[in-house]
Amino acid sequence: MMSTIIYEKKDKIGWIILNRPEKLNAINDCLLEELDQALAAAEPDLEVKVVVIKGAGKCFSVGEDLTGLGTSEVLPPERGGRLSTKRLLEAERRRSRRWEYIFNLAKPTIAQVHGHCLGAGLSLAMLCDITIASQDAVFGDPELRMGLLPGMPLWLWLVGIKKTKEMLYSGRYIDASEAEKIGLINKVVPPDKLEQEVNRLAEGISLMPGDGLAICKDGINAVMEARGLGEAWRFTDNMQLVMQQRSIEPGEFDFFETRDKKGLRAALEQRDVPFTSLRAQEEEG
Amino acid sequence: MSLETVIVEKVDQVGKITLNRPEKLNAINDAMMRDLEAALDQMQQDPDIWVVVIKGAGEAFSVGQDLSGVGTSEVMPPQPRAKAYLGDMFETAMRNCLRWQAIFDFPRWTIAEVHGYCLGAGCDLAMACRMVMAAEDAVFGDPSIRMGLASPNPLWTWRVGLKKTKEMLFTGKYIDGREAERIGLVMKAIPPDKLEEETNLAAESCAKFGTIGGFDGQAGFWAFDRATYDLSGLSAAWRLASNLHTLSAIQRPGRSIIDRGEFDFYEVRDKRGLKAAIEARDAPFRKYFPQPKTPKENK
């Protein structure tokens, strides 16, 4: 019995619903593990031709759970901890293997995105083969604002080097129309049409020969490997270690310390406030 | 040399190759592939030709591989029923892979002038050209997956990006010239009545890009261009895509463990004819992925 994921099968379509609506579907260890279970159930199932991933409640997902409770798989180890480099590298490898597994699932995957889609939530949406979003969706990866290294190499291939740097250096959020323009998602639709659009797409794909789909997907992903994606994953693992072992500069905002002292909400507020001008500029522009 | 399925012309410094099986909407069979190669070869020998324009006679650029099964043993992978040896299959895959790369590597500007249907291998041909100029109402797509085939063409991800590649190839959907321009498949979408004029203008200006002080600037530039693609993985990608295309061809749609009893293109074709098979292939998807109208249907 799963507590943070709902998995249903309906007419050859496997629906995976991220189900922690009270936490805006923040991704913790439990959710990751259950997501794995749901995908592992869908992958060999001959009755499932295509998998759709969506979020329950107000949004797709706000990203990794930052509370620090049950999040050892999604957050870096505590600073000053005594884990060996080997252990740390293993943890990073586990993280990227998990992402690679989702990317290479032998069935087409569709992300149905509404509301916030940030950090690890955005990574998940990027890894799905096709991403459809409603106009109210917001995309971004604010990890660098917390001193965490964004760990998703797909950015470069989806939106190009200039936009990747713009997005990751600033941690800025963009709306769905802009996300479509830069190639982060396939299509943006009005909120009340989202469900219908994804259904139509999934049903259409579910009529295709399953063997053909699996090979077609593998062919396209193999092309990405040839373009260097495989090496990029490994490189990201190593860079994560470098980032984890750096020390905080004097006067630098320490997200995790602020969280422990003043609580998560205050820490998030303090993280994003300095960047409001970025936000205002975007709204004016 | 007389070529039967393509027409070769030369206007000033521009070589023109017209795919010429209008009654079959320029479906590409073995003969056309060979003629196309011969025509390109001929133009490569001609020191006065600096640009090659490829276009289609009649209503369309090309509807893609000839699916009739007659005279197509080189352009189509062996049919599932043929029970070909794996060695033969991979030989076919590698031959096609090298052929397409040779077109992609042609050391002059190549421009595809696209009107009407541009599907499957026709779309691959347009993509292998350096530049694609298309009528706004041209129709692009690769419906191979609807017959259980994976695309042998790795250029998709470079041209339209990963997300759009998957959307196009998983659904086999058709898009018009404007949309093709928006996603990057086409460099310029042009009103149909201006297509020829604009393409000629582009060809003439490209022809000015020739030798620099006796150095063949174009050949040098394209060699550099190709090296850049190869550094980002194109050669390996091409081999992988070709082999996976062949692998998909032996999966026997309709008889595999996943797809038992589902639509089998070859079976329907042999029983009810090619036209009916193509209709049966595309009909179930119109509801989900509306098809843009071709110029002929618009009239």
Side-chain angles (χ1 to χ4, degrees):
Chain A
M1 190 64 208
M2 297 192 278
S3 61
T4 58
I5 292 276
I6 300 173
Y7 174 56
E8 305 167 334
K9 282 194 292 181
K10 213 165 55 189
D11 306 330
K12 294 189 187 172
I13 303 170
W15 293 88
I16 294 180
I17 304 167
L18 312 180
N19 191 35
R20 291 183 80 203
E22 74 291 356
K23 300 285 178 199
L24 301 174
N25 302 319
I27 297 173
N28 60 6
D29 295 352
C30 174
L31 190 141
L32 264 189
E33 199 187 311
E34 292 182 353
L35 179 62
D36 257 3
Q37 285 173 21
L39 291 168
E43 193 172 28
D45 191 337
L46 298 186
E47 286 168 21
V48 175
K49 279 281 184 67
V50 49
V51 174
V52 182
I53 302 181
K54 65 175 183 176
K58 275 193 224 159
C59 69
F60 184 75
S61 165
V62 286
E64 47 278 67
D65 187 328
L66 297 167
T67 56
L69 303 171
T71 55
S72 62
E73 287 293 300
V74 292
L75 288 181
E78 269 180 55
R79 248 192 313 277
R82 302 218 168 269
L83 288 174
S84 65
T85 303
K86 178 172 168 287
R87 274 291 171 73
L88 296 173
L89 185 60
E90 279 166 6
E92 286 311 321
R93 288 273 147 94
R94 253 199 326 277
R95 186 211 301 255
S96 58
R97 293 236 170 86
R98 207 173 265 134
W99 287 145
E100 280 179 276
Y101 167 64
I102 298 175
F103 185 63
N104 288 318
L105 196 82
K107 296 202 159 123
T109 45
I110 302 172
Q112 174 185 329
V113 178
H114 70 294
H116 282 93
C117 179
L118 308 175
L122 177 53
S123 294
L124 179 58
M126 285 162 92
L127 289 165
C128 289
D129 296 316
I130 299 172
T131 308
I132 308 289
S134 69
Q135 272 157 355
D136 62 3
V138 175
F139 299 87
D141 190 344
E143 279 179 303
L144 213 54
R145 295 180 181 181
M146 297 178 276
L148 302 178
L149 188 69
M152 175 48 60
L154 267 178
W155 272 102
L156 284 162
W157 283 276
L158 292 186
V159 307
I161 181 166
K162 290 274 174 196
K163 279 287 166 194
T164 300
K165 289 178 172 174
E166 183 188 329
M167 293 291 294
L168 298 185
Y169 291 175
S170 68
R172 66 183 277 224
Y173 301 152
I174 56 173
D175 64 22
S177 315
E178 184 165 358
E180 190 203 11
K181 208 180 75 188
I182 67 175
L184 196 56
I185 62 171
N186 290 72
K187 195 172 182 186
V188 48
V189 293
D192 57 326
K193 290 274 186 322
L194 179 65
E195 190 91 33
Q196 186 193 342
E197 179 71 26
V198 171
N199 265 312
R200 206 163 56 103
L201 181 67
E203 275 170 39
I205 293 177
S206 76
L207 302 178
M208 304 288 173
D211 281 329
L213 281 174
I215 297 169
C216 182
K217 172 163 175 172
D218 203 50
I220 299 168
N221 284 2
V223 168
M224 296 314 287
E225 293 276 323
R227 292 181 68 175
L229 182 61
E231 288 85 344
W233 287 112
R234 298 288 80 77
F235 190 63
T236 310
D237 295 343
N238 294 322
M239 292 316 287
Q240 292 285 2
L241 286 199
V242 175
M243 192 73 174
Q244 284 165 15
Q245 296 183 5
R246 77 191 246 286
S247 44
I248 293 268
E249 290 163 31
E252 190 185 327
F253 166 62
D254 187 334
F255 178 83
F256 295 99
E257 196 185 85
T258 315
R259 179 197 69 193
D260 295 343
K261 280 192 188 143
K262 300 199 224 156
L264 182 59
R265 206 169 277 269
L268 285 172
E269 178 73 11
Q270 205 170 325
R271 177 191 80 181
D272 286 339
V273 159
F275 300 98
T276 37
S277 63
L278 204 62
R279 200 72 207 268
Q281 246 175 14
E282 282 150 25
E283 273 154 19
E284 276 166 32
Chain B
M1 191 182 353
S2 79
L3 303 173
E4 285 171 9
T5 58
V6 305
I7 301 169
V8 177
E9 296 161 278
K10 186 175 155 184
V11 186
D12 301 325
Q13 291 177 300
V14 179
K16 291 198 173 185
I17 299 177
T18 309
L19 309 178
N20 191 33
R21 291 180 80 205
E23 73 291 353
K24 301 286 180 199
L25 297 172
N26 301 321
I28 298 174
N29 59 7
D30 295 348
M32 187 187 275
M33 202 65 193
R34 269 187 244 130
D35 286 353
L36 178 63
E37 279 175 329
L40 283 170
D41 197 41
Q42 203 175 313
M43 291 187 175
Q44 200 175 332
Q45 316 273 337
D46 187 336
D48 291 333
I49 288 184
W50 287 93
V51 175
V52 173
V53 174
I54 301 178
K55 58 182 184 173
E59 282 164 34
F61 180 77
S62 167
V63 284
Q65 306 92 315
D66 187 329
L67 298 171
S68 65
V70 181
T72 58
S73 62
E74 289 172 23
V75 293
M76 286 295 285
Q79 290 176 26
R81 213 165 303 145
K83 298 203 172 96
Y85 291 113
L86 266 185
D88 294 337
M89 313 239 5
F90 285 112
E91 206 173 289
T92 313
M94 288 324 294
R95 191 173 50 228
N96 278 319
C97 165
L98 294 174
R99 272 182 146 172
W100 283 107
Q101 289 193 69
I103 297 175
F104 182 73
D105 284 342
F106 190 74
R108 292 286 175 256
W109 271 104
T110 42
I111 302 178
E113 180 186 325
V114 178
H115 72 293
Y117 282 123
C118 179
L119 310 176
C123 194
D124 293 345
L125 176 59
M127 249 188 271
C129 291
R130 305 278 176 192
M131 192 192 281
V132 186
M133 310 275 278
E136 285 170 344
D137 56 2
V139 179
F140 291 85
D142 188 347
S144 307
I145 188 68
R146 298 176 181 181
M147 298 177 276
L149 296 174
S151 165
N153 179 6
L155 287 171
W156 278 101
T157 66
W158 272 273
R159 294 282 195 245
V160 307
L162 181 59
K163 291 267 174 196
K164 280 287 167 191
T165 298
K166 286 178 169 173
E167 186 184 329
M168 293 293 295
L169 297 183
F170 287 176
T171 61
K173 74 199 250 192
Y174 302 117
I175 56 175
D176 67 14
R178 280 185 216 93
E179 173 77 358
E181 183 194 53
R182 204 177 67 86
I183 68 174
L185 190 57
V186 160
M187 274 102 245
K188 201 167 178 194
I190 300 159
D193 53 331
K194 292 263 192 290
L195 177 64
E196 197 172 349
E197 191 188 324
E198 289 248 2
T199 308
N200 287 339
L201 196 66
E204 281 161 33
S205 58
C206 289
K208 304 259 188 300
F209 174 29
T211 56
I212 305 164
F215 172 67
D216 185 341
Q218 269 203 35
F221 180 74
W222 297 129
F224 172 75
D225 185 59
R226 179 61 205 257
T228 313
Y229 271 105
D230 273 357
L231 284 173
S232 72
L234 182 62
S235 287
W238 223 312
R239 295 178 74 117
L240 281 164
S242 306
N243 283 331
L244 285 167
H245 168 69
T246 310
L247 180 67
S248 71
I250 43 177
Q251 295 306 314
R252 306 178 161 227
R255 267 175 280 176
S256 86
I257 183 153
I258 303 184
D259 307 314
R260 195 163 291 160
E262 285 185 7
F263 174 63
D264 183 337
F265 181 82
Y266 299 106
E267 194 181 291
V268 178
R269 182 194 70 191
D270 295 346
K271 276 193 191 142
R272 292 159 44 198
L274 184 58
K275 219 176 251 292
I278 290 177
E279 178 58 22
R281 177 191 77 183
D282 283 346
F285 297 102
R286 289 205 187 103
K287 185 166 109 199
Y288 302 104
F289 314 115
Q291 217 163 307
K293 286 203 165 96
T294 60
K296 194 182 167 197
E297 287 163 340
N298 274 329
K299 265 172 210 164

